[in-house]
Amino acid sequence: MNDDVLIIGGGIGGLTLALELHEAGIPCRLFEAAPEIKAIGVGINILPHAQRELTRLGLEPALAALAVETKEAAFYNRFGQHIYSEPLGRAAGYAWPQFSIHRADLQAVLIGAVVARLGSDRVHLGWRCTGVAGDATGATARFVDAAGHPLDDRRGSVAIACDGVNSVIRKQFHPHEAEPRYSGVTMWRGVTKMQPVLSGATFVRAGWLNPGKLVMYPIRNAIDAEGNQLMNWLAENETPQRVARDWTRAGRLEDFIAPYLDWQWDWIDVPEMFRRAETILEYPMVDQDPLDRWTFGRVTLLGDAAHPMVPRGSNGAGQSILDAKVLVEVLRAHTDWAEALVAYEAQRLPATSNVVLTNRVNPPDAILRVVYERTGDRPFERIDDVVSHDELVAITDAYKKVAGYDPASLAVVS
Ligand SMILES: Cc1cc2nc3c(=O)[nH]c(=O)nc-3n(C[C@H](O)[C@H](O)[C@H](O)COP(=O)(O)OP(=O)(O)OC[C@H]3O[C@@H](n4cnc5c(N)ncnc54)[C@H](O)[C@@H]3O)c2cc1C
């Protein structure tokens, strides 16, 4: 019998899983629906808890060469008044950096490592999974090619569904699941070539969802002779749901720019940054209620397929990396892999459900909501009259605990 682990989906979760399995000496094959791995998406953050795993996998130098090592978080209201700043990553004392990176760069580092370490014959592009079946001794996955023609079934020891937010395998096991839950907010994401602002490595959040919230952070350094960076930004506006969840859908400036027209502060001209964008994508802030079950015999879910979350705490990619780490730990610890998949679910389902639910109400940007509500969305005289420093620290520290990157949860802090 074939004892390969079948990995369905070559996104960040699936590729990390392939590297973790290889490291553990467990054979695997990865099946990705796309005929080629293309540069799509915009920026994402890798927080220290996820970077710890990527460092252990030997990927830190390659990531450091492409990413921006983010040093601080800064919060402002929509009038440009500073609310709060705190150090991030190594600057905050962690033993691992926080990287802000173009999703395509992260994907390129991961796929490059997978091909170099496992061999290209272990990566099957253009294989779209249509369903899986587990039995007492293994799992069988069915596939079609890019044109929809059937390919050979593939058999393995277990099948791991890493097929993202629109997972067909999640749908197979949870056919009556409710539609994705819309949070009432649409985000427009883009990248703009521009000169560094603030520290040159600052993760900025400003304003609040009505009329509009801005997130921005640089994701590539020194991209030309003028020393420009590639700035990743998100505009989040309360709006009726406009579109289905498709990471590649193009967005239009005129649909979201209005609330930001007077956001011209001494260090940034926000509407100008939007106007000069190279790419604009539109995505609804949706998630799904946590499932009660991921594991069905020799099949389980991982990453966005298991726990789609609103992208508000920089945790989508990170939680999929942590899933991969725990999954391989339990496979190594159990001789019966059906039991291992149950043990994986027992660890990761409650932990990630907590992140999904916290992202709905109290992600790190809850700081902005507190200031918005207490000031009635007006400028303040002194921030200390609105909210104390201790309260601000408590809000961000609480999220770090939920997501698993508070310094105490990470074994090694420098
Ligand atoms: C195109 C794209 C762009 C994104 N852009 C951003 C972004 O800009 N910022 C951000 O924060 N997050 C973005 N994300 C989401 C982020 O990458 C994920 O939240 C996170 O990395 C979780 O990883 P994952 O591996 O679970 O899912 P994903 O990274 O979404 O990977 C899922 C993979 O499975 C493949 N797949 C889907 N169905 C099948 C199937 N039936 N058979 C085989 N393969 C299948 C997909 O093609 C994809 O490669 C994007 C995701 C995608 C797919």
Side-chain angles (χ1 to χ4, degrees):
M1 97 134 211
N2 193 330
D3 60 358
D4 287 335
V5 171
L6 305 179
I7 302 173
I8 313 299
I12 290 153
L15 291 167
T16 306
L17 178 60
L19 293 171
E20 292 276 11
L21 288 166
H22 177 73
E23 181 100 341
I26 300 173
C28 64
R29 279 184 189 278
L30 184 147
F31 300 88
E32 163 59 44
E36 56 179 319
I37 305 263
K38 282 197 296 200
I40 28 187
V42 284
I44 56 180
N45 265 266
I46 311 172
L47 304 182
H49 57 340
Q51 184 53 42
R52 174 170 68 169
E53 308 314 324
L54 299 183
T55 297
R56 188 176 42 74
L57 289 167
L59 302 177
E60 189 176 320
L63 293 171
L66 297 169
V68 173
E69 181 170 345
T70 303
K71 295 191 169 43
E72 64 164 351
F75 296 81
Y76 296 82
N77 66 7
R78 75 179 173 94
F79 309 100
Q81 292 180 293
H82 179 252
I83 295 170
Y84 174 70
S85 289
E86 66 175 13
L88 295 177
R90 282 207 181 98
Y94 290 100
W96 306 277
Q98 172 164 338
F99 285 132
S100 298
I101 189 165
H102 199 296
R103 186 181 178 280
D105 292 341
L106 173 57
Q107 186 102 348
V109 168
L110 292 172
I111 186 81
V114 168
V115 168
R117 296 177 192 183
L118 282 75
S120 55
D121 60 320
R122 294 264 149 187
V123 178
H124 303 263
L125 299 180
W127 285 60
R128 176 174 294 282
C129 183
T130 55
V132 291
D135 53 50
T137 58
T140 304
R142 296 182 301 280
F143 296 94
V144 294
D145 67 14
H149 300 126
L151 294 162
D152 290 343
D153 290 356
R154 287 307 184 109
R155 178 131 183 105
S157 51
V158 290
I160 315 299
C162 310
D163 53 342
V165 284
N166 298 311
S167 168
V168 294
I169 300 171
R170 178 183 175 114
K171 192 92 192 147
Q172 176 186 332
F173 288 107
H174 293 279
H176 305 299
E177 189 182 9
E179 286 299 300
R181 179 180 172 281
Y182 181 53
S183 69
V185 176
T186 295
M187 61 179 179
W188 286 265
R189 330 187 81 187
V191 287
T192 302
K193 198 164 80 169
M194 58 191 268
Q195 284 291 302
V197 295
L198 301 172
S199 72
T202 304
F203 187 125
V204 175
R205 298 178 177 91
W208 188 241
L209 304 167
N210 185 4
K213 192 188 113 198
L214 168 74
V215 177
M216 58 184 278
Y217 49 87
I219 53 173
R220 281 183 191 149
N221 276 324
I223 55 173
D224 57 21
E226 284 80 54
N228 280 309
Q229 292 180 315
L230 194 63
M231 183 66 74
N232 178 81
W233 51 259
L234 289 80
E236 300 173 17
N237 300 359
E238 275 184 6
T239 138
Q241 181 157 11
R242 301 167 41 83
V243 294
R245 36 179 198 185
D246 169 2
W247 286 109
T248 61
R249 177 183 293 270
R252 298 185 316 170
L253 192 63
E254 58 270 32
D255 289 334
F256 69 93
I257 197 171
Y260 306 92
L261 289 173
D262 59 352
W263 290 33
Q264 288 159 318
W265 309 327
D266 55 359
W267 57 273
I268 180 82
D269 182 333
V270 174
E272 182 61 10
M273 176 175 71
F274 291 162
R275 287 192 190 103
R276 293 185 32 244
E278 291 175 6
T279 319
I280 300 180
L281 301 171
E282 179 176 357
Y283 193 80
M285 285 271 202
V286 289
D287 67 7
Q288 267 163 276
D289 287 332
L291 295 173
D292 57 358
R293 192 171 167 195
W294 295 352
T295 294
F296 297 82
R298 288 182 169 256
V299 181
T300 197
L301 309 176
L302 183 149
D304 281 4
H307 43 70
M309 58 184 68
V310 287
R312 283 180 68 188
S314 310
N315 254 289
Q319 295 299 325
S320 73
I321 291 167
L322 299 186
D323 290 347
K325 171 202 161 208
V326 171
L327 179 57
V328 174
E329 279 171 3
V330 298
L331 291 177
R332 292 177 80 158
H334 288 75
T335 43
D336 178 340
W337 281 8
E339 273 176 22
L341 299 194
V342 171
Y344 156 74
E345 176 187 304
Q347 265 197 64
R348 293 301 295 157
L349 193 152
T352 54
S353 298
N354 205 6
V355 181
V356 170
L357 297 176
T358 304
N359 276 10
R360 287 182 184 174
V361 287
N362 272 325
D365 61 11
I367 282 179
L368 299 175
R369 185 190 62 223
V370 167
V371 174
Y372 171 88
E373 287 172 353
R374 292 187 192 171
T375 59
D377 193 27
R378 289 193 198 86
F380 51 77
E381 292 282 321
R382 290 175 61 246
I383 189 61
D384 293 344
D385 298 335
V386 180
V387 54
S388 72
H389 183 79
D390 288 352
E391 198 179 342
L392 293 171
V393 172
I395 294 171
T396 63
D397 283 358
Y399 186 79
K400 288 172 197 156
K401 284 203 180 70
V402 168
Y405 66 99
D406 59 305
S409 300
L410 292 181
V412 188
V413 180
S414 60

